[in-house]
């Protein structure tokens, strides 16, 4: 069984090894470059002002690069599911070669378990190595930016990608068993897993653990520390805030700007401060607008996860994907009896 699995899988394995070598070469180069820049940042961090400026420049130099790399690595499980999982059984059924295999002494279930275990383990090892390399690459940046909970960043680091790879592979295998044609199975697997990658960070991850809650007064200083103010719809919202005393916490939900009695700030009042605030000559990111809003005695309610829960979320989400993959494996084993 092992020799047969290797012969059938060797082209995909060689392609995966070649891709891993190319990715590893680039990540090693990027990792050394980031470490050199991090050393330069630390040499300039002699006081609070110097640290803030150097840290901002360091983050700005690598934020987009790491985000793009993380997004690219997030496609690795999609590729595994579509090109390794979907054709695993669908190709046998499409070509009719399953009749020869299933007339041997090995049962269908044992044959399927052998194939899935061999290729699935390879998928998890490949993805795990890539994730390990990227975690090493991004570690100096993460120490400064403290943004590992980001939608894209979280899924490319540490152990979570291993769970993604397992689910993508089992999803592709199960879809191939039901669809029985290779190309449609590949397409369906890719689309479904992309939808899963979008849904889980936005709809599931924030609810894996009960969040902490805090009310933050919207002083002029707090507003000026935000990343954005307002929205396309004109709603009185503020984004990119930090939890006081916990700048590396993951804010999962931010309320609109609220008045002292807990009501949402009227959009007309927000628009007046945003578009035509009284001239005070105040500095900062939002200047006079921040001063105008702070005079209204506003606050926002935040729901957040402390940074110390990062590994709890990694384990919980990885476990979620592993359980889902195990359920798909059971479905595949039941389906193969009637294929």
């Amino acid at each position: 069984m092992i020799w047969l699995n290797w012969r059938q899988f060797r082209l995909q394995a060689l392609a995966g090894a070649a891709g891993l070598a190319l990715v590893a070469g680039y990540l090693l180069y990027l990792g050394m470059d980031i470490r050199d820049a991090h050393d330069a940042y630390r040499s300039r961090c002699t006081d609070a002002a110097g640290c803030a400026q150097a840290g901002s420049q360091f983050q700005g130099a690598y934020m987009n690069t790491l985000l793009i790399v993380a997004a690219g690595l997030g496609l690795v499980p999609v590729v595994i599911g579509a090109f390794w999982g979907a054709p695993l059984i669908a190709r046998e059924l499409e070509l009719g070669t399953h009749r020869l295999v299933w007339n041997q002494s090995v049962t269908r279930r044992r044959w399927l378990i052998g194939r899935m275990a061999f290729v699935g383990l390879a998928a998890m090892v490949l993805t795990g190595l890539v994730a390990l390399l990227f975690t090493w690459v991004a570690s100096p940046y993460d120490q400064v930016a403290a943004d590992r909970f980001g939608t894209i960043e979280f899924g490319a680091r540490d152990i979570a990608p291993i769970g993604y790879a397992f689910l993508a592979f089992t999803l592709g295998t199960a879809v191939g068993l039901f669809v029985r044609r290779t190309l449609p199975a590949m397409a369906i697997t890719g689309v479904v897993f992309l939808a899963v990658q979008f849904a889980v960070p936005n709809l599931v991850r924030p609810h894996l653990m009960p969040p902490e809650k805090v009310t933050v007064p919207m002083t002029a200083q707090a507003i000026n520390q935000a990343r954005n103010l307002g929205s396309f719809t004109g709603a009185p919202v503020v984004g990119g805030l930090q939890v006081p005393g916990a700048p590396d916490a993951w804010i999962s939900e931010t309320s609109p700007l609220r008045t002292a009695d807990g009501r949402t700030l009227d959009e007309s009042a927000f628009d007046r401060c945003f578009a035509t605030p009284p001239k005070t000559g105040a500095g900062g990111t939002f200047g006079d607008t921040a001063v105008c809003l702070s005079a209204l005695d506003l606050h926002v309610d935040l729901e957040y996860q402390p940074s110390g829960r990062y590994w709890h979320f990694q384990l919980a989400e990885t476990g979620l994907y592993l359980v889902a993959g195990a359920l798909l494996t059971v479905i595949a084993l039941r389906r193969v009896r009637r294929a």
Side-chain angles (χ1 to χ4, degrees):
M1 283 287 292
I2 294 177
W3 174 247
L4 178 61
N5 284 330
W6 165 248
R7 284 187 60 84
Q8 292 181 313
F9 179 64
R10 58 186 176 182
L11 291 179
Q12 294 98 315
L14 291 174
L20 176 61
L22 291 174
V23 170
Y26 173 72
L27 290 179
L28 287 172
Y29 162 78
L30 180 61
M32 297 306 297
D33 188 48
I34 289 177
R35 277 158 174 75
D36 289 341
H38 186 253
D39 290 340
Y41 151 74
R42 293 180 62 184
S43 68
R44 296 169 55 194
C45 192
T46 55
D47 53 47
C51 276
Q53 183 179 8
S56 177
Q57 291 176 350
F58 175 69
Q59 292 180 56
Y62 293 100
M63 180 175 63
N64 290 335
T65 299
L66 289 174
L67 192 63
I68 292 171
V69 173
L73 296 181
L75 295 176
V76 171
V78 180
V79 173
I80 286 174
F83 288 88
W84 288 13
L88 189 71
I89 310 302
R91 184 183 292 116
E92 301 274 7
L93 296 173
E94 191 172 27
L95 298 178
T97 53
H98 65 289
R99 299 187 183 92
L100 175 62
V101 175
W102 292 348
N103 284 325
Q104 305 302 313
S105 58
V106 179
T107 65
R108 295 185 183 188
R109 284 188 172 182
R110 184 181 172 189
W111 171 78
L112 180 59
I113 290 173
R115 295 219 62 189
M116 291 186 70
F118 189 87
V119 182
L121 181 61
M124 295 170 73
V125 169
L126 174 68
T127 309
L129 289 174
V130 173
L132 179 65
L133 270 172
F134 185 69
T135 302
W136 171 80
V137 168
S139 59
Y141 178 86
D142 290 338
Q143 293 173 16
V144 178
D147 191 28
R148 293 185 299 171
F149 273 110
T151 300
I152 297 176
E153 294 88 338
F154 184 90
R157 290 162 167 78
D158 298 304
I159 63 173
I162 298 174
Y164 300 171
F166 179 67
L167 177 59
F169 170 72
T170 54
L171 174 66
T173 303
V175 169
L177 267 167
F178 281 91
V179 176
R180 303 175 68 93
R181 295 182 61 190
T182 303
L183 291 180
M186 293 171 66
I188 292 172
T189 300
V191 170
V192 171
F193 194 75
L194 284 172
V196 170
Q197 285 184 311
F198 173 81
V200 170
N202 294 286
L203 303 178
V204 178
R205 187 182 300 159
H207 306 289
L208 289 176
M209 294 183 190
E212 301 288 337
K213 298 180 180 181
V214 65
T215 297
V216 180
M218 287 292 96
T219 62
Q221 180 182 4
I223 294 172
N224 280 322
Q225 289 176 346
R227 294 180 184 174
N228 51 74
L229 188 63
S231 69
F232 290 113
T233 61
V237 295
V238 59
L241 294 171
Q242 292 183 345
V243 177
D248 53 353
W250 170 39
I251 297 177
S252 56
E253 186 172 340
T254 304
S255 73
L257 290 166
R258 289 175 174 163
T259 57
D261 58 2
R263 298 180 181 179
T264 299
L265 177 66
D266 184 77
E267 289 188 12
S268 60
F270 178 76
D271 290 340
R272 282 195 298 270
C273 281
F274 193 83
T276 57
K279 300 300 181 181
T280 64
T285 305
F286 300 105
D288 293 333
T289 295
V291 174
C292 179
L293 290 172
S294 68
L296 301 178
D297 192 18
L298 303 174
H299 68 272
V300 294
D301 297 320
L302 302 180
E303 294 185 359
Y304 70 97
Q305 299 289 347
S307 61
R309 295 182 182 178
Y310 173 78
W311 273 104
H312 294 83
F313 274 87
Q314 278 278 326
L315 291 169
E317 192 162 320
T318 302
L320 177 67
Y321 278 87
L322 292 176
V323 169
L327 290 175
L328 286 170
T329 301
V330 172
I331 292 172
L333 290 173
R334 292 177 64 89
R335 177 65 180 177
V336 77
R337 296 181 62 184
R338 300 190 297 270

